[in-house]
Amino acid sequence: MTDVYKPQRRYRRSDIKRLTDEELRVQSTLLEYGRRYGVGRSVKTENEKEKDIKQKAKAAGLTKQRSDTMDSEEERAADEKRIKALMSEMSSMDGDEGRLTAAMVGSIVGLQSEQIQKIVSEYADKQSELVTEERPQKMSGAQQHKRMMASLEKQIANQEKKLEEVVAKHAELQQSFETTQTRLKDVQEFTDKINEEMQKLETVETDENKNVLNKLRSLVAMNESLKQQELQFRAHCKEEMVRLKENIEQLKGVDNEADSEEGERNRLIEKQFQADKEKLHKIRLLLARKNREIANLQRKIDEVPSRAELTQYQRRFIELYKQIASTHKETKQFYTLYNTLDDTKLYLQKEVELLNSIHDNFKVAMSSNAGKDQFLKQFEGIVEGIRTNKNKVEKRRQDEKGRRDKLNKSYLDLIEKQRLYFKTIKDFKEECRKNEILLSRLEGK
């Protein structure tokens, strides 16, 4: 049952934005759902609204009399003419009820939020008034009075709001008026100054400078004319820009309604473009990863020294080795010299001590035969110890000499091996050079 008796939209108006009057907007919206919703409604004047308020007050019990007003035949004819004009600008739905196009959504979204709230509140007020008019007999006097008071309070609030808007607009216009008056005063002062200057020019005008002054006047007039033309041209350009913007908006609305298939195709193309874009992004990431790997491998390859670098490193190492060897040999010689001198010093000290001991004990030992024999025995023991030490030192010298000869032989062997190594390196370089020459010839063929 609800689907059968619910309001059904039969017509659609495409240029709802051109309707500036609020009553015409409401009536056009009602006509979209069937003519019976809009026949009985007409544009009311302020006097008719006051009469309706009085009638509602009377119906609420404030007065016991009722006055029924009937529209005249002329008003009905005007309503019928207005309805026909509105219906001529509508198109039939043809079963497309409930479907919203992109233009309709854009027009709905394009309304300002304040205007939408205002329309909603006024629609609720009018709906409550319609309910009050259609069913007055079902309510008691107190309820009607309460409802009427609420309606009047809402109207008073709306009127106060409009009054505030008018006051704000008046203040703005007053400020604009004062600004204009200030500008007018400035222009008048400037005009007076120009007139004074012109009078001065007229006083100083002679036959000699008359042509110059006339030419100057014509140039000033031309300048003012050009300024006026510039202002007119700018105003014309602004008007033309507004007209072109309106044409662009209309064309956009027509394109949104007529080119649905084109829009679908564009969406598919956009979807494919986004997929290809993501694929390209992934490929670029993979390429960047491969480039990093290649750069790492290239860096590792560069870290491996070339043949020339190896040769240079070898030469440098040999020079460092020779330098270290010479320093080591010199240090070793210093240590050997120090040890030799230290041993010589030790032996000289022992020799001095021995000679001092012999010298001190010689007189005492020679005073008696027993002391003399004991002294000779001690002296022979000392001589024997010296010979033993001498043999040990001689033996150690022979050992060191043999070790020196052995090291010298090893040194000569190593020198021979070094010579052979250098000769082998030289032969290897020569063979590498020949190999490169042969490879270049093969590549040339």
Side-chain angles (χ1 to χ4, degrees), residues 13 80-90:
R13 185 181 181 88
E80 291 292 335
K81 187 176 180 181
R82 184 169 55 255
I83 290 169
K84 287 180 181 180
L86 293 174
M87 292 293 293
S88 63
E89 297 178 356
M90 295 185 184

Side-chain angles (χ1 to χ4, degrees), residues 338-393:
Y338 175 78
N339 293 329
T340 303
L341 293 175
D342 189 55
D343 292 339
T344 305
K345 177 184 176 183
L346 180 62
Y347 292 139
L348 289 175
Q349 286 179 354
K350 289 181 178 181
E351 185 178 356
V352 170
E353 289 177 357
L354 181 60
L355 292 174
N356 289 330
S357 177
I358 293 170
H359 181 269
D360 293 335
N361 296 324
F362 181 74
K363 291 181 179 181
V364 177
M366 291 300 172
S367 61
S368 61
N369 293 325
K372 184 178 180 180
D373 293 335
Q374 187 179 2
F375 177 76
L376 291 174
K377 287 180 181 179
Q378 290 177 358
F379 195 82
E380 288 177 0
I382 291 170
V383 172
E384 188 65 27
I386 291 171
R387 288 176 181 173
T388 304
N389 291 331
K390 181 182 177 182
N391 293 330
K392 289 180 179 180
V393 171

Side-chain angles (χ1 to χ4, degrees), residues 186-361:
D186 295 337
V187 171
Q188 288 177 353
E189 292 178 356
F190 184 71
T191 304
D192 296 337
K193 189 182 292 185
I194 290 175
N195 291 330
E196 291 177 0
E197 294 294 332
M198 291 295 294
Q199 291 176 2
K200 290 180 181 179
L201 288 175
E202 289 177 357
T203 55
V204 299
E205 181 178 359
T206 60
D207 294 336
E208 296 177 355
N209 58 6
K210 186 175 183 180
N211 295 328
V212 177
L213 292 176
N214 290 331
K215 187 175 181 180
L216 180 61
R217 290 192 185 96
S218 63
L219 290 175
V220 171
M222 185 182 295
N223 186 21
E224 294 296 330
S225 176
L226 290 175
K227 287 183 179 179
Q228 188 66 25
Q229 291 179 5
E230 182 181 0
L231 294 175
Q232 293 177 358
F233 179 71
R234 288 184 177 179
H236 177 70
C237 289
K238 289 181 180 179
E239 294 176 357
E240 189 69 18
M241 182 179 68
V242 172
R243 187 181 64 80
L244 292 175
K245 285 184 178 179
E246 292 178 355
N247 293 336
I248 290 170
E249 293 296 331
Q250 293 178 1
L251 291 174
K252 284 183 178 179
V254 172
D255 291 338
N256 290 330
E257 292 181 358
D259 298 339
S260 59
E261 295 181 358
E262 185 70 19
E264 184 67 24
R265 189 170 68 85
N266 290 333
R267 283 193 294 273
L268 292 175
I269 293 172
E270 184 68 21
K271 187 177 180 181
Q272 185 66 28
F273 172 73
Q274 293 295 333
D276 293 339
K277 190 175 180 180
E278 292 178 359
K279 187 176 179 181
L280 177 62
H281 182 64
K282 292 179 180 178
I283 292 173
R284 284 180 176 176
L285 291 176
L286 183 61
L287 178 62
R289 188 183 303 167
K290 293 295 183 182
N291 287 333
R292 287 195 298 270
E293 293 178 357
I294 292 171
N296 290 329
L297 293 174
Q298 187 69 31
R299 191 160 47 249
K300 290 180 181 179
I301 291 171
D302 293 338
E303 288 177 357
V304 177
S306 62
R307 188 177 301 165
E309 292 176 347
L310 288 173
T311 304
Q312 186 177 0
Y313 292 157
Q314 183 182 7
R315 290 176 181 175
R316 184 58 181 165
F317 285 141
I318 291 171
E319 291 176 359
L320 290 174
Y321 175 75
K322 289 181 178 179
Q323 185 178 358
I324 293 170
S326 62
T327 305
H328 177 70
K329 183 178 180 181
E330 185 177 359
T331 305
K332 193 174 180 181
Q333 288 177 355
F334 284 135
Y335 274 103
T336 303
L337 178 61
Y338 175 78
N339 293 329
T340 303
L341 293 175
D342 189 55
D343 292 339
T344 305
K345 177 184 176 183
L346 180 62
Y347 292 139
L348 289 175
Q349 286 179 354
K350 289 181 178 181
E351 185 178 356
V352 170
E353 289 177 357
L354 181 60
L355 292 174
N356 289 330
S357 177
I358 293 170
H359 181 269
D360 293 335
N361 296 324

Side-chain angles (χ1 to χ4, degrees), residues 106-144:
S107 64
I108 293 172
V109 175
L111 295 176
Q112 298 179 356
S113 60
E114 296 179 358
Q115 187 177 1
I116 292 173
Q117 293 178 359
K118 184 177 179 182
I119 291 172
V120 170
S121 62
E122 292 180 358
Y123 176 74
D125 296 338
K126 290 180 180 180
Q127 189 176 9
S128 63
E129 291 176 3
L130 288 174
V131 172
T132 305
E133 290 178 356
E134 291 176 357
R135 296 184 299 175
Q137 66 277 9
K138 294 183 181 180
M139 299 181 184
S140 63
Q143 291 179 349
Q144 291 180 358

